[in-house]
Amino acid sequence: MMTSPSHSPGNALRRLRQTTPLVHNITNHVAMTPTANTLLAIGASPLMAHAQQEIQEISAISAALSINIGTLSPSWIEAMQLAAMCAHRDGKPWVLDPVGIGASSLRQYACRALLEYRPSVIRANASEVLALAGEMNQGRGVDSGDDGEDALERASRAAITLARAQNCVVAMTGHVDVVTDGQRQITIQGGHALMGRVTAMGCALSSVVAAFLAASLDGHDDTLQATAAALACYAEAGETAGQSVEGPGSFVPRFLDALYTLDADSTLLASRLELTDVT
Amino acid sequence: MMTSPSHSPGNALRRLRQTTPLVHNITNHVAMTPTANTLLAIGASPLMAHAQQEIQEISAISAALSINIGTLSPSWIEAMQLAAMCAHRDGKPWVLDPVGIGASSLRQYACRALLEYRPSVIRANASEVLALAGEMNQGRGVDSGDDGEDALERASRAAITLARAQNCVVAMTGHVDVVTDGQRQITIQGGHALMGRVTAMGCALSSVVAAFLAASLDGHDDTLQATAAALACYAEAGETAGQSVEGPGSFVPRFLDALYTLDADSTLLASRLELTDVT
Amino acid sequence: MMTSPSHSPGNALRRLRQTTPLVHNITNHVAMTPTANTLLAIGASPLMAHAQQEIQEISAISAALSINIGTLSPSWIEAMQLAAMCAHRDGKPWVLDPVGIGASSLRQYACRALLEYRPSVIRANASEVLALAGEMNQGRGVDSGDDGEDALERASRAAITLARAQNCVVAMTGHVDVVTDGQRQITIQGGHALMGRVTAMGCALSSVVAAFLAASLDGHDDTLQATAAALACYAEAGETAGQSVEGPGSFVPRFLDALYTLDADSTLLASRLELTDVT
C-alpha cells in the first residue's frame, strides 16, 4: 500500500533494529515488565522513569516517549505532563495510550491535560477511541450513530474525528487495526484472538509505536506510515505466535520470540496493510 | 460435596466465563502482572487502580474487589480503605489478602483498618492466618496449641476462630486448602509443589476468589461455595500444569494455559472438595 | 580457582538452598516480578517493601538487602537510605545496583547518598561502573584511558578503582563478568547473548548476589568468593537456558528452570572462575 518500497514495514523494522532507539516509558504498574521485554525483543531500548526530578534529563537522552494512563496517581500525572512537555518542546515523537479512559474522571482529566502537548499518536482500542472522541466533543454525538451502523465503522469514524481534532495519528487496535491521520486510513490484518487474554499487549504496542516513530525520525516514513509499520509487525508476530499454541500462558514467550525473529524481508508484512483515502 | 449439582465448581466456572466479571485489584507491585494474566486466563476482567481520586468510580463499575497488603505505602493504605469502604457500602464482595502480615506493624495496622469494612473472604497461608487470628486475640492463645498438635490442625482451628470473629469466610491455602465460614469447613486437594516456587500465586488466587464471588452474586452459590469453587479450579490447573514440567519457569505459562483450558465439565473438580461440619 | 574445595560455587549454592535466606529488595517497578521469581527459583526467599514505616522491622527479619535505583522517586530514595542504614548498622550484607546511573543527576544523588552506608557489593554493567567511578572522581580521569586501550580492560581498571575507593566488592557483569575487591580479581565465563534482550536480568542478579552473601554469613566464603559463586551459577544457568532456545521469550522460563535444577555438584561451576592478583 505504500507509495514506494522504501516505505515498507520491513524497512522500518530494519531501521529500528539498526538504531535501537531509547524509548522513555511512563506506563502502568501492570505493563512495566511486559513493555520492557517487548521493546527489547523487537530491538529497541526501554527506559522507565517517573520521578519529576529526572524527567528533563531522561527526555534529553530518549528518542521517543510513551505515556499510558493506567494505575495513575497525582504525582505520576505531573511527571507525565513534564515528559510530554519536553517531548513537545523538543520535537520528539510521543504516544498517548488512554487506557481505560472511560473508567474515571481522573483518567479523562489526565488525557485532557496531556493532549495539550500534542501527542504524535494516540494508540487505543475502539471503546477508548469512542470515549476520547466523545470527551473531546463534550459528550455530544460520537455515540449516536445509526443503530444499524456497524460497530467498527462507527469507531473508525470516531478515530478520524479524533485525528482531525487533535491533528495527530490515531491507531485503533483490535480484531482489525485502523490507523488514520484524518485524511488517510490504513487497515491492518493479523494478530490472534489470544492477544485479548494477555495483559498489557496494547500497552506494550503503544511503546513499540513510539520506537518505530523514533526510527523514522530522519524522514524515512511519516507518522502514519511508521505507526502502520509497528502495527503490521505486531500483527505478524501475534499471528505467528498463535499458531499451535495452547493458551495465553504459552502465547507470551512465543510472541516475544516471534518479535525477535521477525523477518524484515517477509512479503507478508506489507500485504497486511490496506490504504484508503478518507477525505 | 455440594448440596446440589448446581453448586458444583464447574457451574461456578461456567458462570464466571459467561459474565467476565470486572475485578478491581489493589495489589502489590510484584503481583500486578501475574494477577492480571491469571484473571484473564480464567475468564475474568482485571482492573488495577490505586488513586484515591478514582476509587469511587472504579468501585461503581467493578463487580468485586481484591486487596493485597504487600508493598504498602501510606497513600496506598488510604486508597485500600476507600475501596473497601465502597464495596462494604454497596454490598459488593471483596477479598482481603494479608500477605506477610507477620512481617511488620504497618501490615497489621493496614489489616486491622481494612477489617472494619468486613471482607467477604480472607485468603491467606497458614502462618498469615495464625498471625491474623493472634492479632485479633491481641496475641493470646492462638500459638499455644498442644505441642503434639498437628500444624495443619492448629492452623485450621485458627481459621475457624478468625472466620467466626470476623463473620467472614477464611480460605487458608497451602499443601491442602481449607475454607471455612466458622460452621462448615471444606478441604480441597490438588495443586503442585512448584506453586511455592513461583511468585504471586497466592496473591493472584485472592483475585480469582473475588472473580468467583462476583460470578455468584445472583445467589447461585454462597460465599463459602464460591470460594471453594475458585480453589478447586486453581488446584486443578496447578496439578495439570505440574505434570512433566521441569521447573518454576515453565510452570507459569502452563498454569495459565491450564486455567484457560480448564474443563468446566470435569468430574475431578467437584471430587477435590470435602465438606465437614465444624460447629 | 578457590583456595580450598569448601569455597566452591557449588558449596555456596548448596548452603543457599539449605538456608533459604530472606532477601529484602527495594528494586525498580520493572524488576519486581522477575527478581522475585529468580530468587525463588534458585532457592532464596524474596520480600519487597518500600514503606518507611516498615523498613526497620523488615530489615530485622531479613538476611540481606538488595537496592536498585531504577524508577526512583524521592520517597523511595528515603526508604532506600533507611534500609541501607539498618543493614550497615546491623552488619548485614547489602548490594547496590546503580542501574542507569549515567542517565540522571537524581540517580547519581541516590547512589552517593547510599554509598554512605557502605554496600558489601556494587553490581553493575561496564558503563555503570565507569559512570560511578567517574562520579567518585568528580568526573576526572576515568574516561581518559589510552585510545588504544581495550574497553573491557578500561572498565576493569575502573572497577578496581571503585572497589578500593569504596572498600567493597565490585561485580561488573556483561559478556565476561569481572569481580574484584581491589586486590583480587575473578573473571567468570558463561551466560548467553539473549540475556541482554530480557529485562531485569542484571537487576535480578543483584538480588541473587545478596542471597549468596546471606548464605555465606557464617564465614564460609568471603564477600568476593560469595559474589563470584552467584555469578558462576547465573552464568551456568544462562548458558544452559540459551541452548536451542528461539528467542528472549522462551529464554525466560528456561532460565528459571535452569536456576532451579542447577547441579551444585557440577564441575563446570568452579571451572568458570579465574582468579588474578591485581595488587
Side-chain angles (χ1 to χ4, degrees):
Chain A
M1 119 295 150
M2 300 297 191
T3 49
S4 98
S6 74
H7 291 301
S8 73
N11 280 338
L13 174 60
R14 207 172 280 115
R15 278 195 303 276
L16 187 156
R17 287 173 172 163
Q18 281 161 359
T19 56
T20 62
L22 183 63
V23 178
H24 176 204
N25 305 274
I26 308 183
T27 189
N28 66 73
H29 290 305
V30 184
M32 291 266 183
T33 316
T35 297
N37 276 327
T38 302
L39 286 172
L40 285 167
I42 203 165
S45 183
L47 194 161
M48 275 71 177
H50 62 274
Q52 299 175 33
Q53 292 84 353
E54 62 179 346
I55 292 294
Q56 187 130 234
E57 286 168 274
I58 298 293
S59 179
I61 60 172
S62 301
L65 169 69
S66 174
I67 292 183
N68 176 297
I69 63 158
T71 66
L72 285 175
S73 70
S75 72
W76 284 57
I77 295 176
E78 289 174 31
M80 290 171 182
Q81 288 174 288
L82 295 173
M85 187 187 294
C86 290
H88 178 56
R89 179 194 66 200
D90 299 336
K92 291 189 181 175
W94 77 278
V95 178
L96 174 63
D97 185 332
V99 61
I101 186 177
S104 77
S105 307
L106 183 66
R107 296 182 188 217
Q108 288 144 26
Y109 165 86
C111 281
R112 192 174 288 212
L114 291 166
L115 287 170
E116 297 283 336
Y117 304 107
R118 304 282 162 210
S120 315
V121 177
I122 297 170
R123 206 289 316 158
N125 65 27
S127 64
E128 289 154 0
V129 166
L130 286 165
L132 194 52
E135 168 72 11
M136 291 304 98
N137 287 340
Q138 304 185 308
R140 326 174 6 244
V142 172
D143 283 338
S144 60
D146 293 346
D147 282 355
E149 190 182 19
D150 177 77
L152 178 62
E153 197 178 318
R154 187 157 65 88
S156 295
R157 280 203 304 118
I160 293 167
T161 303
L162 183 60
R164 289 176 183 166
Q166 294 301 319
N167 194 23
C168 71
V169 164
V170 174
M172 186 174 74
T173 57
H175 182 63
V176 174
D177 298 340
V178 176
V179 190
T180 181
D181 61 1
Q183 274 72 50
R184 296 166 293 167
Q185 177 181 290
I186 302 176
T187 57
I188 295 110
Q189 307 281 343
H192 193 273
L194 278 174
M195 296 170 95
R197 298 295 284 268
V198 172
T199 199
M201 290 297 295
C203 306
L205 173 53
S206 296
S207 294
V208 169
V209 170
F212 273 85
L213 296 180
S216 298
L217 283 178
D218 295 335
H220 293 286
D221 289 339
D222 63 24
T223 301
L224 184 81
Q225 289 162 332
T227 303
L231 271 54
C233 291
Y234 222 66
E236 169 101 354
E239 197 173 284
T240 303
Q243 286 160 3
S244 76
V245 88
E246 284 175 44
S250 44
F251 182 86
V252 172
R254 290 202 199 178
F255 178 69
L256 294 170
D257 286 357
L259 283 177
Y260 178 74
T261 56
L262 197 59
D263 181 6
D265 293 322
S266 162
T267 52
L268 263 178
L269 274 175
S271 74
R272 295 183 179 282
L273 310 183
E274 188 181 327
L275 178 65
T276 320
D277 191 317
V278 294
T279 48
Chain B
M1 119 296 148
M2 299 297 191
T3 50
S4 100
S6 74
H7 292 302
S8 73
N11 280 337
L13 174 60
R14 208 171 280 114
R15 279 195 301 276
L16 187 155
R17 288 174 174 163
Q18 282 160 0
T19 55
T20 61
L22 183 64
V23 179
H24 176 204
N25 305 274
I26 308 183
T27 190
N28 66 72
H29 291 304
V30 184
M32 291 267 182
T33 316
T35 298
N37 276 328
T38 302
L39 286 172
L40 285 167
I42 203 164
S45 183
L47 194 161
M48 276 68 178
H50 63 274
Q52 300 175 33
Q53 293 84 352
E54 63 178 346
I55 292 295
Q56 187 129 233
E57 287 168 273
I58 298 294
S59 180
I61 58 171
S62 301
L65 169 68
S66 175
I67 292 183
N68 176 297
I69 63 158
T71 64
L72 285 175
S73 71
S75 71
W76 284 58
I77 296 176
E78 289 174 31
M80 290 172 182
Q81 289 174 287
L82 296 174
M85 187 186 295
C86 291
H88 179 56
R89 180 194 66 200
D90 300 335
K92 292 189 180 174
W94 76 277
V95 179
L96 174 63
D97 186 332
V99 62
I101 186 176
S104 77
S105 307
L106 182 66
R107 296 182 189 218
Q108 288 145 25
Y109 164 87
C111 281
R112 192 173 288 211
L114 292 166
L115 287 171
E116 297 283 336
Y117 303 107
R118 303 281 163 211
S120 316
V121 177
I122 297 170
R123 208 290 315 160
N125 66 27
S127 65
E128 289 154 0
V129 166
L130 285 164
L132 194 53
E135 167 73 11
M136 292 303 98
N137 287 339
Q138 305 187 306
R140 328 173 4 242
V142 172
D143 283 339
S144 61
D146 294 347
D147 283 355
E149 190 182 18
D150 178 76
L152 178 62
E153 197 178 318
R154 186 157 65 87
S156 296
R157 280 204 303 118
I160 293 167
T161 303
L162 182 60
R164 288 176 183 166
Q166 295 301 319
N167 194 25
C168 71
V169 164
V170 174
M172 186 174 75
T173 58
H175 181 62
V176 174
D177 298 339
V178 176
V179 190
T180 182
D181 61 1
Q183 275 72 50
R184 296 166 293 167
Q185 178 180 291
I186 302 175
T187 56
I188 295 109
Q189 307 281 343
H192 193 274
L194 279 174
M195 295 170 95
R197 298 296 283 269
V198 172
T199 199
M201 289 297 295
C203 306
L205 174 53
S206 296
S207 293
V208 169
V209 170
F212 273 85
L213 296 180
S216 298
L217 282 179
D218 295 335
H220 293 286
D221 289 340
D222 64 22
T223 301
L224 185 79
Q225 290 163 332
T227 303
L231 270 54
C233 291
Y234 221 67
E236 170 100 354
E239 199 172 283
T240 302
Q243 286 161 5
S244 76
V245 88
E246 285 177 44
S250 45
F251 181 86
V252 172
R254 291 203 199 179
F255 177 69
L256 293 171
D257 286 356
L259 283 177
Y260 178 74
T261 57
L262 197 59
D263 181 6
D265 293 321
S266 161
T267 53
L268 262 178
L269 273 175
S271 74
R272 295 183 178 282
L273 310 183
E274 187 181 327
L275 176 67
T276 320
D277 190 317
V278 294
T279 50
Chain C
M1 117 301 148
M2 299 296 190
T3 49
S4 99
S6 74
H7 292 302
S8 74
N11 280 337
L13 174 60
R14 207 172 280 115
R15 278 196 302 276
L16 187 156
R17 287 174 173 164
Q18 282 161 0
T19 55
T20 61
L22 183 64
V23 178
H24 176 205
N25 305 275
I26 308 183
T27 190
N28 67 73
H29 291 303
V30 184
M32 291 267 182
T33 316
T35 297
N37 276 328
T38 301
L39 286 172
L40 285 167
I42 203 165
S45 183
L47 195 160
M48 274 69 178
H50 63 274
Q52 300 174 34
Q53 292 86 351
E54 64 179 346
I55 292 295
Q56 186 130 232
E57 288 168 271
I58 297 294
S59 180
I61 59 172
S62 302
L65 169 68
S66 175
I67 292 182
N68 175 299
I69 62 158
T71 64
L72 285 174
S73 70
S75 72
W76 283 58
I77 295 175
E78 289 173 32
M80 290 171 182
Q81 288 174 290
L82 295 174
M85 187 187 295
C86 291
H88 178 56
R89 179 195 66 199
D90 300 335
K92 292 189 180 174
W94 77 278
V95 179
L96 174 63
D97 185 332
V99 61
I101 186 176
S104 76
S105 308
L106 183 66
R107 296 181 188 217
Q108 288 144 25
Y109 165 87
C111 281
R112 192 175 287 211
L114 291 166
L115 287 170
E116 297 283 336
Y117 303 108
R118 302 281 161 210
S120 316
V121 177
I122 297 169
R123 208 288 316 158
N125 65 28
S127 65
E128 290 154 359
V129 166
L130 286 165
L132 194 53
E135 168 73 10
M136 291 303 97
N137 288 341
Q138 307 186 306
R140 330 175 1 246
V142 173
D143 283 337
S144 60
D146 294 347
D147 283 354
E149 189 181 18
D150 177 77
L152 177 64
E153 196 177 319
R154 186 157 64 89
S156 296
R157 280 204 303 119
I160 293 167
T161 303
L162 182 60
R164 288 176 183 166
Q166 295 300 320
N167 195 24
C168 71
V169 164
V170 174
M172 186 174 75
T173 58
H175 182 62
V176 174
D177 298 340
V178 176
V179 190
T180 181
D181 61 1
Q183 276 71 50
R184 297 165 293 168
Q185 177 180 292
I186 302 175
T187 56
I188 295 110
Q189 307 280 344
H192 192 273
L194 279 174
M195 297 170 94
R197 298 296 283 267
V198 173
T199 197
M201 289 297 294
C203 306
L205 174 53
S206 296
S207 293
V208 169
V209 169
F212 272 86
L213 296 180
S216 298
L217 283 178
D218 295 336
H220 293 286
D221 289 340
D222 63 24
T223 300
L224 184 80
Q225 290 162 332
T227 303
L231 270 54
C233 290
Y234 221 67
E236 170 100 354
E239 197 172 284
T240 302
Q243 285 160 4
S244 75
V245 88
E246 284 176 45
S250 45
F251 181 87
V252 172
R254 292 203 197 178
F255 177 70
L256 293 171
D257 286 356
L259 282 177
Y260 178 74
T261 56
L262 197 60
D263 181 6
D265 293 323
S266 160
T267 52
L268 262 178
L269 274 175
S271 74
R272 295 183 180 282
L273 310 183
E274 187 181 327
L275 176 66
T276 321
D277 190 318
V278 293
T279 49

